[in-house]
Amino acid sequence: MRGLMQDVPLTLQMVLERAGSLSAAKTVATKTADGVHRRTYGEVVERVARLAAALHDLGVRPGDRVATFAWNSSRHLELYLAVPCMGAVLHTLNLRLHPEQLSYIANHAEDRVVFVDASVLPLWEKIPGLETVRTIVVMDDTDGAATGAPGALDYDELLAAAAPRFSWPRLDERDAAAMCYTSGTTGHPKGVVYSHRSSVLHSMASLFADFLGIAERDVCLPIVPQFHANAWGTPYAALMAGASLAMAGRFMDPASVSQLVAAEGVTISAAVPTVWFGVLQAIDAGQVDPATLSTLERIVCGGSAVPEALMRGYDELGIRIVHAWGMTETSPLGSVANVKSTVARDQVLRTRLTQGIPAPSLKVRVVTDEGEAAPWDGATMGELQINGPWVADAYYDPAAPGGRGGLDRFTDDESGTRWLKTGDVAVIDGEGYIQLVDRTKDLVKSGGEWISTLELENLLITHPKVTEAAVIAVAHPKWGERPLACVVRADESVTKDELLAHLGGHVAAWQVPDDVVFIDEVPKTSVGKFDKRVLRAEFADYRL
Ligand code: AMP
């Protein structure tokens, strides 16, 4: 027997409609050099219609990729709505990547139109070999200080000239809404393609009290960039809940963040630990008055593990850090460490420091090296795998059948359940809490962004005075991890500065290792692979 309920497609048009009809007076505030600029959701929704009309006039059609190269802002929010709701695909480009990586990603996604913040136009102009971009639209985020690019359109002029109404098409909930590339250990970055359905379900889950619990009364400050996994979905979740938003623009230093919290009465924020570590340090140094954070109730923190000292530091200020785990491939929220009522009282802090339990509708398992599903005993380790309606099913590959590539990162079990192999090594305890203990991905995560060790090693090895090179992650109090290059010299005269300068020519400045140590040989496993565990143990206490 079939259910007899309405089959309403879950599309982001729901989010747009609801924000316009039920939360028109709520605001999105954007920090600028001159102060804070506010717009109501009512105004945003009107501008979104104009933006969709303008995109249509520019020749954008359903399925076309429209890229953004921008900080968090109300204009970026307008793009988050207009592009998917007109049937096109929002592609957020990561400002922190090297121009060559950006060129690969924009060409691979076949971006047609790109919206660029004026403050990052100089970065945009460094990107070589763009093959598909036809139109550039500049968004002046400099209070009029920047000059536009030759041949580029101006965002606000484009909107002013556009028709005030747009006839939204009927969309299929499985259509692509947005895409975001993520670093792979080997090869090029991989494209994750979110559907309307996955985006709506992920946003709804963010409203659950036992997940992020974003509510109408909240003022939400996503400091996690809109170019990184849709700012963890918080803009859509806030619009859906009717919560106001505060956007930091390019001002993410502790003073600016705390001023924005105070000015907007922010109640919930989301960011990697590095950001909140900086704010805590500034409070300790007397540079930020903790009273500016008096409205802040909770901080969703993830992207890398939350250190205990950070959680305790904010506990003392009466602000709850909510530890979350996720990946670009999981939209990105997978699990949140809210404490179940069955957890023993003396286990509360330990539990809050785990990566949490999966959201309703997501399933996780840990698979051992022997290929067995591990018991939930808090001790048996293996790769964390995840399944659910907002988890990727494939990576985008236009050359593969159906555009479905990267299939080696997925596995189907005997019951037909599809699992994403996360590359994280974990244990799961008896209550279902995930604890990450290692990762198989040979990458460094610094301040929430990835650095490819393989790319650095390949570049080091091209230096004529280098025989072998292994790059490892070393713990860092502020950035979580930083790269350390372990190099075997072919020529004793080679210097650290020479090698770092060599890397600086090919990767972004923040991806260059903090230090180089010269070793006699890179330790190897029995099959001759680099044994980085040995190096990581040897340099575990290395101070960068
Ligand atoms: P990304 O796709 O860039 O968001 O990175 C996802 C990866 O970041 C995960 O697979 C983990 O390796 C790491 N990660 C995310 N959240 C956490 C967390 N709470 N604790 C430790 N590692 C995390």
Side-chain angles (χ1 to χ4, degrees):
M1 185 179 183
R2 304 276 292 175
L4 297 175
M5 305 308 282
Q6 297 181 7
D7 191 8
V8 178
L10 302 176
T11 74
L12 290 169
Q13 290 173 347
M14 287 177 162
V15 175
L16 178 67
E17 264 172 47
R18 190 172 168 88
S21 58
L22 281 173
S23 321
K26 291 303 194 79
T27 53
V28 49
T30 308
K31 176 128 183 68
T32 68
D34 285 354
V36 177
H37 175 267
R38 284 183 199 85
R39 257 197 195 118
T40 65
Y41 286 170
E43 289 166 332
V44 166
V45 170
E46 276 176 36
R47 287 167 60 89
V48 165
R50 286 181 175 273
L51 178 54
L55 284 166
H56 190 267
D57 290 348
L58 287 173
V60 173
R61 295 292 174 267
D64 284 350
R65 267 73 77 194
V66 175
T68 59
F69 194 66
W71 302 110
N72 293 5
S73 73
S74 62
R75 292 190 185 111
H76 210 163
L77 185 73
E78 289 162 5
L79 284 154
Y80 262 48
L81 293 166
V83 176
C85 290
M86 72 175 295
V89 184
L90 177 81
H91 177 202
T92 50
L93 290 164
N94 186 335
L95 300 179
R96 302 206 201 277
L97 298 183
H98 190 268
E100 277 165 23
Q101 290 171 317
L102 286 162
S103 168
Y104 169 82
I105 291 172
N107 289 338
H108 191 263
E110 297 176 68
D111 296 335
R112 294 179 66 82
V113 180
V114 182
F115 288 77
V116 183
D117 269 348
S119 62
V120 290
L121 207 46
L123 289 180
W124 174 259
E125 285 167 346
K126 285 203 188 104
I127 302 176
L130 291 170
E131 291 161 7
T132 56
V133 174
R134 302 279 169 266
T135 311
I136 295 170
V137 183
V138 175
M139 303 186 282
D140 185 7
D141 62 335
T142 65
D143 299 307
T147 49
L153 303 171
D154 175 80
Y155 184 88
D156 291 313
E157 285 173 12
L158 193 68
L159 259 61
R165 260 175 287 285
F166 187 73
S167 171
W168 302 104
R170 192 176 163 83
L171 301 173
D172 183 323
E173 65 176 16
R174 289 177 176 78
D175 283 346
M179 62 197 302
C180 188
Y181 280 69
T182 179
S183 317
T185 340
T186 50
H188 289 296
K190 296 185 175 68
V192 177
V193 184
Y194 305 116
S195 64
H196 278 267
R197 176 185 156 84
S198 69
S199 306
V200 167
L201 291 174
H202 180 265
S203 308
M204 279 187 178
S206 303
L207 274 47
F208 297 162
D210 284 335
F211 207 51
L212 301 193
I214 296 178
E216 187 275 338
R217 55 172 285 279
D218 275 320
V219 179
C220 182
L221 167 62
I223 303 178
V224 49
Q226 283 183 272
F227 59 73
H228 194 141
N230 287 342
W232 298 350
T234 49
Y236 291 136
L239 287 163
M240 190 181 262
S244 282
L245 275 163
M247 301 297 207
R250 59 188 194 281
F251 306 97
M252 283 161 283
D253 59 285
S256 301
V257 167
S258 54
Q259 279 161 17
L260 190 56
V261 169
E264 300 308 305
V266 169
T267 56
I268 178 168
S269 184
V272 293
T274 305
V275 170
W276 293 102
F277 179 83
V279 174
L280 199 58
Q281 264 190 329
I283 290 174
D284 289 345
Q287 293 153 351
V288 162
D289 178 356
T292 53
L293 303 182
S294 64
T295 57
L296 190 58
E297 296 164 7
R298 56 211 197 280
I299 297 172
V300 182
C301 223
S304 48
V306 170
E308 183 174 336
L310 191 71
M311 195 170 269
R312 283 186 186 276
Y314 281 97
D315 278 350
E316 277 168 28
L317 295 171
I319 300 167
R320 184 160 54 94
I321 288 201
V322 181
H323 190 191
W325 168 91
M327 303 170 70
T328 306
E329 291 87 333
T330 62
S331 296
L333 293 169
S335 60
V336 176
N338 289 310
V339 182
K340 296 200 291 186
S341 57
T342 45
V343 169
R345 288 302 91 192
D346 63 351
Q347 293 297 309
V348 167
L349 181 65
R350 186 200 68 78
T351 305
R352 288 176 63 205
L353 287 165
T354 68
Q355 276 70 21
I357 52 173
S361 84
L362 301 187
K363 289 195 286 189
V364 290
R365 67 175 188 177
V366 159
V367 176
T368 63
D369 286 349
E370 289 73 42
E372 304 291 329
W376 289 13
D377 59 3
T380 311
M381 273 185 219
E383 184 180 48
L384 181 68
Q385 301 188 349
I386 186 162
N387 159 275
W390 60 85
V391 176
D393 201 46
Y395 292 100
Y396 177 60
D397 180 358
R404 297 164 54 79
L407 300 180
D408 59 319
R409 300 307 308 150
F410 304 85
T411 179
D412 297 320
D413 67 19
E414 56 289 346
S415 72
T417 302
R418 189 162 180 75
W419 299 94
L420 165 74
K421 301 194 233 169
T422 66
D424 287 326
V425 179
V427 298
I428 302 181
D429 72 16
E431 292 280 1
Y433 285 89
I434 303 161
Q435 175 93 61
L436 295 201
V437 289
D438 198 357
R439 69 169 84 103
T440 55
K441 305 180 260 210
D442 192 5
L443 295 164
V444 178
K445 198 156 206 199
S446 170
E449 298 290 338
W450 291 114
I451 299 173
S452 163
T453 50
L454 200 79
E455 186 180 9
L456 294 172
E457 288 161 8
N458 288 342
L459 288 166
L460 281 166
I461 209 77
T462 62
H463 195 283
K465 295 181 187 168
V466 171
T467 308
E468 273 185 332
V471 177
I472 56 167
V474 173
H476 190 282
K478 177 168 182 191
W479 300 107
E481 293 172 2
R482 288 294 303 156
L484 172 70
C486 306
V487 171
V488 181
R489 284 175 284 200
D491 179 337
E492 294 289 314
S493 71
V494 70
T495 65
K496 167 182 144 182
D497 291 345
E498 202 178 331
L499 294 178
L500 295 181
H502 169 68
L503 294 175
H506 299 278
V507 299
W510 64 275
Q511 296 177 325
V512 174
D514 287 25
D515 207 352
V516 177
V517 289
F518 294 112
I519 54 176
D520 294 335
E521 190 190 351
V522 176
K524 313 273 178 350
T525 64
S526 56
V527 291
K529 285 191 185 171
F530 284 3
D531 195 348
K532 294 205 183 171
R533 280 183 199 202
V534 175
L535 282 176
R536 284 207 293 263
E538 189 174 335
F539 293 104
D541 297 326
Y542 197 82
R543 292 282 155 264
L544 293 168

